[in-house]
């Protein structure tokens, strides 16, 4: 039997793209993972999450194991809203929708707002998984380059002016990671943030602000786009994946009630009761500000270790940024094809993500690679860079 | 700002339907819940799940708290495949896709195979939540009535013949709950199962077999549609919600590799690592057959209690079926409008689900209601029926 004749119109073109997760090859054993955007294993609060589950089930019995019923599901919303308030966002309860990680949030937003002929504006480069999600809905993209001050809003404006003048379709949505951008690590300046909001109002598009890394700063970042948003067109997406643990799959959308209502319609009323209640029980037993301080200090130190190793071992033809938060360092290795080199690196025992996955096919640049200082230990960071340096020098 | 101008073409009509979960009103405190398709609280394995989490985190540390990495995620697939083998389905590992409950499975199937002009055939009545999901994708439905032998396949055949003769679009997919149907409790006979498969081959449509209750039999049910399927067109959906706990959100699709690949494309590579690994750790520490035996015995007894109470207390004008498994009893109260009566029932202290939610608007029948014997205690079942009887007699 042939599946082809049964595929829906929108799933057919999506299935022509690269399969999901193709940036994540099977790694050889003992490979140093400078590729993984995973938290540091020693910073995942295993024991405290275990304690939280024990307390949850002792106190609530079967409640968090049904479809609905655990009071801690509402409590989780309050806890997250409280945290968002510290980031300058003062939300009503109904303006927050809990999702299964930031990815479900991005997928729901695409599902509700993106047609197959909608234009989506993205940064170039951008988060490969978001690109993959949007490509399930449309093939119409406009990419705006990033520099060390983040999204180049003057180029965004120029594009909007041009398309408007030529009566070409304007983007329905801009996807941006303004703070500790994945993969480049850059942060958008305050002036450019205001410019984005102004353009969104003027040209009437939505802004999806992906704030996965905003809490992990080494220098306090600018105000979120959502906190600057007077016209309720920013959909702010966040997650506890980097702050607590990705395996719990707790993310959210913070947006106007009309928006969260529509997203919830397609998410339906089914939550992840056990995961959500466990997370609420965990958050109630810790001091989140203290934990964030610990994470910031630890990741800043790991960033410094990775940067020092790059300075010491990498050839002069290679350059990189120094991020002020987040997980990633974006490396430029002129004249090299990093996708091609990956096999050699894996053979040598070190993994990175080739830059090409972060670009639209039309923009593809071969010379970049993403390194993560989050997952590997400090010793591994140094050793990994040495291995990588050998591979780059041989090429 | 008006959300309207941003909505995608397919989300606009969907948002015209009743909001999700409208069958589930806020219940007064201490209301007896004959409405809830929840497992019996005393049968939710709270302590054993707690022990499973403890062992998981002790043995695996941070692994199940990352995006990927816990070996128990693969183990869960093996455990579920083993169980499906006992139901007559011998699957390759890649023919099983784990989902976040059966609802995500149904939603993914609709997303990949249903266009806005696709026709979906459903039983009448059918599971209200599945209806709600399909209505997010299409407004074209054909309903086939159910009798005490399940879906009336001769009517299905007649419909297919008619539409074929008139060159009208044939259904792309049939959604059926052949075993312990929700809400009617009926089970499709072996002859009709074969007939469904024959018709699906002849008229080239897919079959979504929802088997949420198949393991909870009081009399061993017929072979699953999937086990009769020679042409790989049955997508078999199941879940551990009724067998272990719905709050863990573990469901699946069992289907040909081409199908699970396409579904996984849109599900993406993100699983629920913590929930899945916890479930695997739970399953490895129990004897599932013994647990199923316990559940079957307990729910059969609760069915008997509810049936006896109905016989004793309900007026003669009211009739019902006696299901051979599952959670539900479908009650017919001639000349009454059960949606209208619900407020009185809630005031009296008992909740049920009005029949209308299980029908397409075009088929809507007012005289039915669904009772569940799963959640309320035996005492509550009897008390609930007494309260319901008073409401019905007053009307």
């Amino acid at each position: 039997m042939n599946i082809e004749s049964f595929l829906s119109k929108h799933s057919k073109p999506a299935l022509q793209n690269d399969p999901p997760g193709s940036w994540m090859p099977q790694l050889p054993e003992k490979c140093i993972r400078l590729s993984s955007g995973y938290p540091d294993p020693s910073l995942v609060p295993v024991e405290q999450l275990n304690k939280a589950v024990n307390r949850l089930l002792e106190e609530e019995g079967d409640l968090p194991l049904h479809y609905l019923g655990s009071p801690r599901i509402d409590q989780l919303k309050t806890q997250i809203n409280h945290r968002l308030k510290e980031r300058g966002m003062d939300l009503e309860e109904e303006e927050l929708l809990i999702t299964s990680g930031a990815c479900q949030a991005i997928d729901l937003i695409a599902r509700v707002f993106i047609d197959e002929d909608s234009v989506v504006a993205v940064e170039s480069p951008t988060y490969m998984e978001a690109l993959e999600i949007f490509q399930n809905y449309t093939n119409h993209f406009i990419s705006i380059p990033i520099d060390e001050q983040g999204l180049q809003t003057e180029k965004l404006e120029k594009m909007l002016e041009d398309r408007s003048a030529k009566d070409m379709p304007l983007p329905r949505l801009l996807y941006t990671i303004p703070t500790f951008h994945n993969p480049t690590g850059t942060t958008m300046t305050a002036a450019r943030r205001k410019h984005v909001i102004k353009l969104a109002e003027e040209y009437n598009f939505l802004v999806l602000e992906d704030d996965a890394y905003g809490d992990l700063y080494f220098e306090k970042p600018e105000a979120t786009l959502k906190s600057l948003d007077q016209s309720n067109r920013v959909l702010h997406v966040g997650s506890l994946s980097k702050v607590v643990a990705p395996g719990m799959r707790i993310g959210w959308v913070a947006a106007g009630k009309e928006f969260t209502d529509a997203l919830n319609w397609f998410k339906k009323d089914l939550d992840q009761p056990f995961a959500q209640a466990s997370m609420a029980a965990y958050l109630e037993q810790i001091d989140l500000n203290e934990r964030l301080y610990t994470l910031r200090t630890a990741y800043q130190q790991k960033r410094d270790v990775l940067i020092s190793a790059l300075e010491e071992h990498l050839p002069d033809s290679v350059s990189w940024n120094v991020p002020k938060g987040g997980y990633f360092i974006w490396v430029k290795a002129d004249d090299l094809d990093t996708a091609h080199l990956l096999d050699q690196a894996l053979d040598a025992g070190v993994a990175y993500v080739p830059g090409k996955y972060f670009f639209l096919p039309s923009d593809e640049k071969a010379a970049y690679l993403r390194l993560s200082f989050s997952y590997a230990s400090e010793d591994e960071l140094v050793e990994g860079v040495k291995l990588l340096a050998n591979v780059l020098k041989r090429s």
Side-chain angles (χ1 to χ4, degrees), chain A:
Chain A
M1 219 217 27
N2 187 352
I3 192 177
E4 278 293 318
S5 62
F6 294 107
L7 292 173
S8 65
K9 283 191 282 282
H10 81 270
S11 58
K12 253 180 234 176
L15 288 164
Q16 301 304 314
N17 298 325
D18 282 341
S22 42
W23 64 83
M24 195 162 42
Q26 192 73 43
L27 298 184
E29 237 183 302
K30 296 201 177 162
C31 190
I32 294 176
R33 284 155 67 175
L34 304 185
S35 51
S36 296
Y38 285 30
D40 188 301
S42 72
L43 295 171
V44 174
V46 180
E47 271 176 49
Q48 279 172 309
L49 279 167
N50 199 2
K51 241 171 68 185
V53 170
N54 292 344
R55 215 182 59 253
L56 171 71
L57 293 176
E58 200 172 295
E59 286 177 14
E60 294 194 16
D62 60 306
L63 285 184
L65 295 165
H66 290 289
Y67 295 100
L68 289 170
S70 167
R72 279 187 170 88
I73 292 180
D74 281 337
Q75 186 181 315
L76 178 64
K77 290 187 76 170
T78 310
Q79 290 161 330
I80 291 171
N81 265 348
H82 182 74
R83 178 72 215 138
L84 293 178
K85 201 164 184 170
E86 300 199 13
R87 304 285 314 281
M89 290 167 280
D90 197 357
L91 303 166
E92 304 293 320
E93 185 123 328
E94 57 205 2
E95 293 178 301
L96 183 72
L97 179 73
I98 307 284
T99 57
S100 182
C103 276
Q104 191 191 24
I106 297 171
D107 188 66
L108 280 170
I109 291 170
R111 182 161 171 191
V112 172
F113 301 111
I114 304 303
D115 282 309
E116 59 195 5
D117 58 357
S118 302
V119 176
V120 175
V122 297
E123 292 161 332
S124 180
T126 189
Y127 175 39
M128 69 287 193
E129 192 136 343
L131 216 46
E132 203 177 87
I133 293 172
F134 289 122
Q135 283 170 332
N136 281 343
Y137 294 88
T138 181
N139 276 320
H140 303 279
F141 293 93
I142 298 168
S143 63
I144 315 292
I146 289 249
D147 64 19
E148 65 286 350
Q149 298 179 37
L151 176 71
Q152 297 188 45
T153 53
E154 69 287 9
K155 292 199 173 160
L156 173 62
E157 180 163 25
K158 178 80 172 54
M159 176 276 289
L160 292 164
E161 277 171 6
D162 280 0
R163 292 181 76 95
S164 192
K166 292 177 190 154
D167 221 17
M168 289 168 73
L170 293 174
R172 183 171 291 181
L173 180 133
L174 165 69
Y175 172 72
T176 173
I177 313 162
T179 310
F180 317 133
H181 179 262
N182 180 3
T184 67
T186 49
T187 292
M188 207 190 288
T189 58
R192 287 193 178 174
R193 286 173 194 244
K194 282 179 198 148
H195 196 192
V196 165
I197 298 294
K198 187 173 155 283
L199 293 171
E201 286 170 7
E202 193 173 336
Y203 291 93
N204 195 30
F205 56 85
L206 302 175
V207 178
L208 197 174
E209 175 179 40
D210 183 342
D211 192 46
Y213 302 93
D215 265 325
L216 296 182
Y217 56 77
F218 318 143
E219 292 176 33
K220 200 154 188 179
E222 306 299 336
T224 62
L225 293 174
K226 177 77 190 147
S227 66
L228 302 173
D229 172 32
Q230 297 299 312
S231 66
N232 241 349
R233 61 178 67 245
V234 175
L235 299 118
H236 178 94
V237 167
S239 131
L240 291 173
S241 292
K242 315 300 176 189
V243 169
V244 185
M248 305 292 289
R249 310 306 305 129
I250 306 292
W252 59 80
V253 184
K257 179 184 179 318
E258 274 194 305
F259 289 91
T260 54
D261 274 356
L263 297 169
N264 189 44
W265 200 280
F266 294 91
K267 174 178 181 274
K268 314 214 6 26
D269 55 319
L270 291 171
D271 278 310
Q272 298 282 334
F274 179 61
Q276 289 182 21
S278 297
M279 182 61 87
Y282 165 77
L283 289 176
E284 88 196 16
Q285 84 193 2
I286 65 152
D287 179 334
L288 184 56
N289 284 328
E290 210 167 279
R291 174 164 174 82
L292 287 171
Y293 179 80
T294 305
L295 294 176
R296 287 165 191 151
T297 311
Y299 287 123
Q300 180 165 11
Q301 184 172 321
K302 294 184 80 177
R303 175 201 65 179
D304 292 345
V305 168
L306 184 56
I307 293 285
S308 299
L310 294 175
E311 285 168 353
E312 186 170 350
H313 300 290
L314 253 50
D316 288 344
S317 58
V318 178
S319 57
W320 55 85
N321 68 321
V322 180
K324 292 173 182 165
Y327 273 8
F328 305 117
I329 292 179
W330 186 235
V331 174
K332 189 167 181 232
D334 278 332
D335 306 323
L336 292 182
D337 180 338
T338 61
H340 186 77
L341 275 184
L342 182 60
D343 280 344
Q344 291 176 47
L346 295 181
D347 283 346
V350 61
Y352 59 81
V353 184
K356 70 169 214 168
Y357 295 111
F358 303 94
F359 293 100
L360 290 166
S362 52
D363 292 339
E364 216 167 284
K365 293 196 176 65
Y368 290 90
L369 58 91
R370 190 191 75 177
L371 299 181
S372 167
F373 49 82
S374 60
Y375 184 76
S377 68
E378 294 187 18
D379 286 350
E380 287 175 328
L381 289 174
V382 175
E383 180 60 22
V385 170
K386 282 187 199 167
L387 297 172
L388 179 63
N390 289 336
V391 172
L392 296 179
K393 284 172 191 162
R394 273 206 311 270
S395 300

